[in-house]
């Protein structure tokens, strides 16, 4: 006996064309179907696991792939190899169309970025309702990296421009401690007055 398949067209069209009052659905042989349903692909287990994790919580950590690790090393290597102090800049709030004010929060050392480059977990997001704040880490000789960091939730990781978002809670805590020491002018104060 040949295998049989049911399709929507195979059921509805004959019922519409034939005015017989049969309860039995129309059947067609598999060979008769013009556009059979494609065979299901094997979904990588990592993808299935990450999708399930995303459904269960706001963010999750996944092991970084070799490509993600390579991108991370390419972005951070200049700061890890420097002998200079690395300035930490916070890009403040934008006031009425003016450019955001950039604040120098302090300095870090290359060892702090070696901690960041050794991260092994990437971060995958569900629905992020938190705003990320923009930071630039740079030396006086022009080596710099831009990052976006959530002030309220370390689980969202560090989003580096040109590299994957990575889970580095210790680095996150150091930067946020610097950010929390900054006293910003009251909201609504014009940018000109805020700079004086």
């Amino acid at each position: 006996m040949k295998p049989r398949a049911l399709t929507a067209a195979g059921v509805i069209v004959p019922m519409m064309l034939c005015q017989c009052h049969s309860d039995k659905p129309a059947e067609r042989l598999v060979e008769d179907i013009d556009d059979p349903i494609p065979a299901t692909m094997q979904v990588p287990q990592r993808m299935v696991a990450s999708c399930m994790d995303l459904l269960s919580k706001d963010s999750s950590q996944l092991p970084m792939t070799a490509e993600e690790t390579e991108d991370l090393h390419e972005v951070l290597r200049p700061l890890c190899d420097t002998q200079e102090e690395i300035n930490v800049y916070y890009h403040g709030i934008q006031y009425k169309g003016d450019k955001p004010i950039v604040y120098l929060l302090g300095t870090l050392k290359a060892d702090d970025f070696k901690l960041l480059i050794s991260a092994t977990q990437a971060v995958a997001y569900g629905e992020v309702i938190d705003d990320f704040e923009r930071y630039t880490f740079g030396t006086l000789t022009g080596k710099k990296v831009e990052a976006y960091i959530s002030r309220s939730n370390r689980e969202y990781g560090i989003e580096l421009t040109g590299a994957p978002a990575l889970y580095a809670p210790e680095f996150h805590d150091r930067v946020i401690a610097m950010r929390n020491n900054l006293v910003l002018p009251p909201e609504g104060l014009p940018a000109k007055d805020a700079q004086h």
Side-chain angles (χ1 to χ4, degrees):
M1 181 173 208
K2 292 184 178 181
R4 299 183 179 270
L6 295 176
T7 64
V11 173
I12 295 171
V13 172
M15 288 178 71
M16 290 175 62
L17 294 176
C18 176
Q19 293 298 318
C20 62
H21 299 289
S22 170
D23 292 326
K24 184 179 176 190
E27 294 180 345
R28 293 174 53 188
L29 297 176
V30 172
E31 292 81 18
D32 296 339
I33 299 173
D34 296 328
D35 54 346
I37 299 171
T40 58
M41 295 180 354
Q42 279 289 38
V43 178
Q45 193 57 36
R46 179 178 187 239
M47 186 180 289
V48 171
S50 66
C51 288
M52 295 310 290
D53 284 344
L54 290 176
L55 292 174
S56 65
K57 53 186 173 178
D58 289 341
S59 67
S60 63
Q61 290 80 43
L62 303 168
M64 280 196 286
T65 64
E67 184 179 326
E68 289 171 332
T69 302
E70 186 179 315
D71 291 343
L72 177 65
H73 285 247
E74 185 178 325
V75 167
L76 290 178
R77 181 61 53 205
L79 296 181
C80 290
D81 292 342
T82 189
Q83 300 299 315
E84 301 175 75
E85 287 191 331
I86 300 162
N87 293 324
V88 178
Y89 297 99
Y90 165 68
H91 299 263
I93 301 163
Q94 187 171 348
Y95 294 100
K96 296 184 181 178
D98 292 336
K99 288 186 177 180
I101 301 169
V102 178
Y103 299 92
L104 176 62
L105 297 180
T107 59
L108 293 173
K109 298 185 185 299
D111 287 342
D112 295 308
F113 288 89
K114 288 177 184 170
L115 175 72
L116 191 59
I117 204 170
S118 66
T120 60
Q121 300 291 311
V123 177
Y125 299 102
E127 184 177 343
V128 179
I129 56 173
D130 192 22
D131 288 332
F132 281 71
E133 295 181 321
R134 182 175 160 212
Y135 296 84
T136 300
F137 308 105
T139 65
L140 294 178
T141 57
K143 299 172 188 170
K144 67 179 185 173
V145 172
E146 188 176 74
Y148 292 87
I149 302 173
S150 166
R151 188 171 178 193
S152 64
N153 193 340
R154 73 193 323 212
E155 300 300 314
Y156 291 149
I158 314 283
E159 283 194 21
L160 297 171
T161 302
L166 55 112
Y167 184 65
E170 196 172 330
F171 186 86
H172 180 275
D173 292 346
R174 286 183 189 177
V175 173
I176 295 305
M178 296 170 84
R179 166 67 177 91
N180 288 338
N181 288 330
L182 176 67
V183 178
L184 291 175
E187 211 172 303
L189 187 65
K192 289 182 240 172
D193 297 340
Q195 290 177 345
H196 294 301

